[in-house]
Amino acid sequence: MGLKDLVISLFQLDKDWTTRIVMGMLVMSVIWGLLGIIDALMVRIQEATWGLTQTLPLSPQEYFASITLHGARDLFPFAEQLEFALFIYFTIKLLNIQPRAKWLLNIAFIMMNISPMFMEGPIIITNQPGFDNYFPATSWYYLAPLGIPDFSQYVVSITWYIGWILLDGFTYLAGIWIVYHYYLASKQVKEKLPVVLVFFLMDTLLYMIGYSGVTVADVWDVLAFYHITGLDVIANQVAFWIFGHAIVYMAWLPAVGALYLLIPVLANKPLYSDRMGRISALLYLIFSNNVPIHHLYMVNLPLDLKFLQEALTYAVVIPSMMTFFNLWATAKGSQVNFNLITAWTVTSFAGAIAAGVTGISNATISFDAIIHNSMWVVGHFHAMILWSIVPAAFAVLYFMLPMMTGRSWYSRSLGWIHFIGYMIGTSLLIIGFELTGFSGLLRRTEIYPITGLVTEGEVMATAGAFIADVATLLWFLNLVLTLVKGHPMKTWNSVPELINEVAMSFSYYPKLDSLSSIKITKSMSRLFHSKSKRGLGKDWALGVLGAILIVLSTIPLAIAGNFYTTTGWIWIATLTLGIVITSIFTLKAAKTI
């Protein structure tokens, strides 16, 4: 196979345009993810080396830049781009709708992959005192006004903020593209959409709502950088961290949607409660966006406002309990065959519970005062990412890639080695983080007391990171070999049939009975039998009205200044009202609830 054939196979250039764009997004997300892994290994090497030899192989700038680039690359061009690729692909395939606005999706794709390039630097060199060429050493963004001239002695390049604005642009353009196609489908649909599509639409809306404050903060920072406006630091932080809690659910809820698809198929049973799944999606959307302050408990804000955030954060537990009960009841009593997709699915289900329990304690003001900014928090969100979000992503990718390429996976053995190595490595990593957190170690600490528990935790986490990364590289090798040498698959008539065929190829046992979940397929196949209707419709119009309220809520936020006034309450009330209206009527208009 020549280079031309390799590129065609890698990017699926012989397929339709949506498949080409989705494959491009998947390939680029994997590349950014591997770069982010390298950044993470640099951090682990720095901290483990200090514990073992009391030397630092990297400069402080390189160390802090590695932390920021790990987060920026793995959270945005990797995780967010991967999730939007899943949304786009399954929106078109499961709705069986003709895609439109190719130009919009192409622009969004370009913006996403240029964004981290602007964040990396150095791109613009200035004579500004305190300017650091390697400006990702800001260590993360919530430290505003760090990096802005006249507000900080440490100044970064304007391209750092331009990179964030490009990221905002991708989120809204890709989100608008997806919502627009749900709008087109709603004009033809008589019955409600499958629950998995409810979660994909809901999460798209969650991204767009959650990024509202980020966009305000980014634009505000650019204006302040050029002295066009002033900068209220607390209001700027609150605006940015509107997505601070939502980002957790932005990343995790696609995994929940995947579980709603995979568990009924693997259990060969219909979902225990379709209605419960739809209601939980609505509650997730309502309660995941209006709790920004729970990441700012240590900021000088009114205590009663913090208590409100604590209560609203606990409210997210309700849809989570509904979801886990619904999925557990679906699988209860089933004879589920053990295969690789089952293994990843079970891991995601159990990992979400294990990591989610610690999230409840994070939301408690008194407990947060103890563990705030410690490695315990890092262990919590890495457990959610590595034990729930990523396993669900692998469960989907293991059947999605054959679905896109028409080729079966090259190696069954590499698939199982990937799973076993990944689970061993991530377990060591998370336990190591928790050990250092229990010892009181703050996050982003490269020089720390040489005590037994801290050193052991750092070395354990580093060893685990290397094991998990090697296992992931083996998955990537299997992916490339599949695209180049994978055997053509037989034709399939439904997504559940495809899932079962791929699962059988990775079976732990030599024989598997054929599985099917026809009820899911039927609900998908009956979507398009009514005639198209004209006009936006009342529910879509109300959804737009809610979005306008969310945008307008930024006005009192920007002028709040001292939050010990009614202005801050006007902001949170307007924001919450906009979220509720948008959530209810947009999901209703799209035939999802």
Side-chain angles (χ1 to χ4, degrees):
M1 174 178 285
L3 179 61
K4 179 180 177 181
D5 295 330
L6 177 62
V7 173
I8 292 174
S9 298
L10 187 61
F11 290 94
Q12 296 295 291
L13 297 180
D14 56 343
K15 300 294 194 305
D16 60 276
W17 68 266
T18 49
T19 300
R20 294 197 300 269
I21 292 179
V22 168
M23 198 63 188
M25 294 175 73
L26 291 177
V27 171
M28 291 305 300
S29 68
V30 170
I31 292 173
W32 286 114
L34 292 176
L35 292 175
I37 286 175
I38 295 173
D39 296 319
L41 290 177
M42 300 298 286
V43 176
R44 301 288 358 118
I45 290 172
Q46 179 89 330
E47 295 183 12
T49 302
W50 172 257
L52 294 173
T53 66
Q54 288 74 66
T55 59
L56 298 175
L58 304 176
S59 69
Q61 289 85 354
E62 291 170 328
Y63 169 76
F64 283 105
S66 296
I67 294 176
T68 300
L69 289 177
H70 164 57
R73 287 167 168 169
D74 280 342
L75 187 55
F76 303 122
F78 168 62
E80 182 175 345
Q81 183 167 214
L82 175 64
E83 291 182 352
F84 269 83
L86 300 180
F87 297 163
I88 292 165
Y89 188 74
F90 285 108
T91 293
I92 296 303
K93 297 301 180 182
L94 297 184
L95 289 177
N96 192 29
I97 191 171
Q98 186 65 33
R100 303 183 187 180
K102 176 181 178 181
W103 61 272
L104 185 62
L105 209 52
N106 278 324
I107 293 174
F109 172 69
I110 294 171
M111 292 178 74
M112 167 56 84
N113 290 286
I114 291 179
S115 167
M117 299 178 188
F118 276 82
M119 292 183 183
E120 290 174 359
I123 298 176
I124 298 177
I125 307 299
T126 73
N127 294 321
Q128 172 71 43
F131 180 84
D132 193 323
N133 291 351
Y134 208 49
F135 50 81
T138 51
S139 181
W140 196 237
Y141 182 78
Y142 75 89
L143 297 177
L146 180 65
I148 299 179
D150 295 339
F151 290 92
S152 170
Q153 293 183 344
Y154 180 94
V155 179
V156 300
S157 166
I158 187 61
T159 57
W160 171 253
Y161 302 105
I162 292 175
W164 272 98
I165 290 176
L166 289 170
L167 175 63
D168 302 335
F170 164 82
T171 302
Y172 283 109
L173 293 182
I176 289 171
W177 190 93
I178 294 170
V179 174
Y180 172 64
H181 283 78
Y182 274 91
Y183 165 73
L184 295 177
S186 71
K187 297 300 179 181
Q188 301 172 321
V189 172
K190 284 186 175 180
E191 63 179 34
K192 293 178 180 179
L193 301 182
V195 174
V196 60
L197 289 181
V198 178
F199 271 84
F200 287 170
L201 172 60
M202 178 270 294
D203 202 52
T204 302
L205 295 173
L206 182 62
Y207 266 103
M208 297 172 72
I209 295 173
Y211 266 79
S212 59
V214 182
T215 306
V216 169
D218 295 337
V219 173
W220 196 353
D221 289 335
V222 171
L223 296 175
F225 193 97
Y226 288 111
H227 307 101
I228 298 174
T229 67
L231 182 66
D232 184 279
V233 176
I234 300 300
N236 184 279
Q237 288 186 355
V238 172
F240 182 85
W241 280 107
I242 285 175
F243 101 135
H245 182 266
I247 194 67
V248 177
Y249 286 86
M250 292 173 194
W252 178 57
L253 288 174
V256 178
L259 294 178
Y260 270 108
L261 171 65
L262 289 167
I263 288 179
V265 172
L266 296 172
N268 193 27
K269 291 172 60 180
L271 186 64
Y272 175 76
S273 174
D274 182 84
R275 182 177 178 82
M276 189 183 298
R278 298 177 192 278
I279 294 175
S280 65
L282 174 62
L283 294 178
Y284 273 129
L285 184 56
I286 291 175
F287 290 119
S288 296
N289 278 293
N290 56 348
V291 287
I293 296 175
H294 87 179
H295 282 280
L296 299 171
Y297 280 157
M298 299 300 106
V299 174
N300 184 25
L301 294 167
L303 187 59
D304 51 358
L305 192 58
K306 294 180 182 179
F307 282 142
L308 172 64
Q309 297 292 285
E310 186 177 41
L312 290 174
T313 306
Y314 291 155
V316 186
V317 178
I318 297 173
S320 293
M321 295 296 292
M322 293 170 61
T323 293
F324 290 124
F325 172 78
N326 200 5
L327 295 174
W328 171 81
T330 301
K332 185 177 183 297
S334 301
Q335 297 295 323
V336 179
N337 292 282
F338 189 64
N339 53 65
L340 190 57
I341 293 182
T342 302
W344 284 116
T345 302
V346 172
T347 299
S348 178
F349 181 87
I353 297 175
V357 169
T358 59
I360 300 174
S361 55
N362 279 350
T364 306
I365 297 174
S366 57
F367 188 81
D368 181 75
I370 299 173
I371 53 87
H372 180 77
N373 212 36
S374 73
M375 285 298 294
W376 192 93
V377 179
V378 179
H380 157 66
F381 67 74
H382 275 81
M384 181 60 78
I385 293 170
L386 299 177
W387 282 350
S388 184
I389 298 172
V390 174
F394 279 129
V396 172
L397 288 174
Y398 266 107
F399 79 81
M400 179 181 173
L401 289 169
M403 181 178 177
M404 294 177 63
T405 64
R407 294 178 179 271
S408 58
W409 283 90
Y410 177 78
S411 173
R412 172 181 177 274
S413 298
L414 283 177
W416 279 104
I417 293 172
H418 168 218
F419 174 77
I420 295 171
Y422 176 89
M423 290 308 303
I424 293 174
T426 55
S427 297
L428 291 173
L429 176 72
I430 293 166
I431 293 173
F433 283 165
E434 297 290 357
L435 288 176
T436 58
F438 288 147
S439 301
L441 186 67
L442 295 179
R443 61 199 300 185
R444 307 181 184 91
T445 301
E446 58 179 336
I447 298 176
Y448 49 84
I450 307 302
T451 62
L453 198 58
V454 175
T455 303
E456 289 170 7
E458 291 283 6
V459 174
M460 180 184 297
T462 303
F466 274 95
I467 294 172
D469 292 345
V470 170
T472 305
L473 287 175
L474 292 178
W475 170 82
F476 183 68
L477 173 63
N478 198 13
L479 168 63
V480 175
L481 291 173
T482 298
L483 295 174
V484 176
K485 297 184 177 181
H487 295 293
M489 295 183 62
K490 68 178 184 180
T491 57
W492 46 273
N493 299 316
S494 68
V495 174
E497 182 181 333
L498 170 69
I499 294 172
N500 292 320
E501 182 179 344
V502 176
M504 290 172 64
S505 68
F506 282 106
S507 174
Y508 182 79
Y509 302 102
K511 293 183 179 180
L512 265 180
D513 295 328
S514 177
L515 302 175
S516 62
S517 187
I518 304 302
K519 293 188 178 182
I520 295 179
T521 309
K522 285 183 178 178
S523 66
M524 295 174 184
S525 64
R526 292 197 301 261
L527 290 179
F528 298 91
H529 294 293
S530 61
K531 295 181 180 180
S532 177
K533 302 177 182 178
R534 294 184 179 181
L536 188 62
K538 180 186 68 173
D539 292 332
W540 283 111
L542 288 171
V544 173
L545 173 62
I548 293 173
L549 286 176
I550 293 171
V551 174
L552 292 178
S553 71
T554 61
I555 297 175
L557 172 66
I559 64 176
N562 182 0
F563 273 75
Y564 287 85
T565 66
T566 57
T567 315
W569 289 97
I570 293 173
W571 156 71
I572 191 66
T574 307
L575 173 66
T576 302
L577 179 62
I579 290 171
V580 171
I581 292 175
T582 298
S583 302
I584 293 175
F585 290 102
T586 304
L587 292 181
K588 183 180 178 183
K591 302 292 195 306
T592 60
I593 61 173

